[in-house]
Amino acid sequence: MHKISQRPVQRLNGSASTAGAGPTGQRADRQTSSITVNRAVMEKGASKQLSYFWFPQRDRVLTNAWELKVYNFWDALTRQRTDGALVRLITPVYPNEDVAQAEARLTAFTQAIVPVLNEFLPK
């Protein structure tokens, strides 16, 4: 049996872009230093994994699947575009460490990778 512990959103500070569009935030500003992500700790038996995920969609970073559907519909009507992405980053929580150490590792990786990803995601 899988056990998933999820915190709805978490703001990471660093060199990433601001998250949110609409009810939960504004358009992404690539000059700022935080991003909002979903966070989940997944367990099966003795193994654990920590995951961050979000939905980048044309200068918006969404953390809610329902928001994604609404904006996808809106963009189809107004821009004739429905492209977007799901970004999910996962790290194991090793037996000799706690979730905080895995979180520090995943946060550092997220801060390093988001500026690179932004160059390839739809605008």
Side-chain angles (χ1 to χ4, degrees):
M1 180 169 160
H2 297 276
K3 179 181 174 189
I4 299 176
S5 166
Q6 185 172 347
R7 234 177 359 196
V9 291
Q10 172 158 342
R11 184 165 295 280
L12 304 176
N13 294 320
S15 60
S17 62
T18 300
T24 60
Q26 308 107 27
R27 288 196 174 273
D29 178 359
R30 297 187 193 283
Q31 303 304 315
T32 61
S33 62
S34 65
I35 184 170
T36 303
V37 300
N38 286 306
R39 175 190 181 274
V41 176
M42 300 168 285
E43 295 180 54
K44 183 175 182 184
S47 66
K48 283 186 184 180
Q49 294 180 330
L50 175 64
S51 172
Y52 289 164
F53 59 98
W54 64 95
F55 307 98
Q57 186 180 24
R58 284 167 300 294
D59 286 335
R60 296 181 199 108
V61 180
L62 307 173
T63 57
N64 181 301
W66 290 106
E67 277 184 320
L68 177 66
K69 290 176 189 281
V70 168
Y71 279 110
N72 202 24
F73 177 74
W74 178 252
D75 287 342
L77 288 175
T78 61
R79 298 181 184 185
Q80 289 75 46
R81 293 183 68 171
T82 59
D83 51 345
L86 162 66
V87 177
R88 181 171 54 179
L89 305 174
I90 301 172
T91 189
V93 179
Y94 296 111
N96 61 343
E97 71 178 357
D98 60 7
V99 174
Q101 291 170 308
E103 185 139 27
R105 182 174 57 250
L106 190 57
T107 299
F109 180 75
T110 302
Q111 291 167 344
I113 197 71
V114 166
V116 176
L117 282 176
N118 285 339
E119 298 302 315
F120 297 95
L121 296 172
K123 293 180 178 52

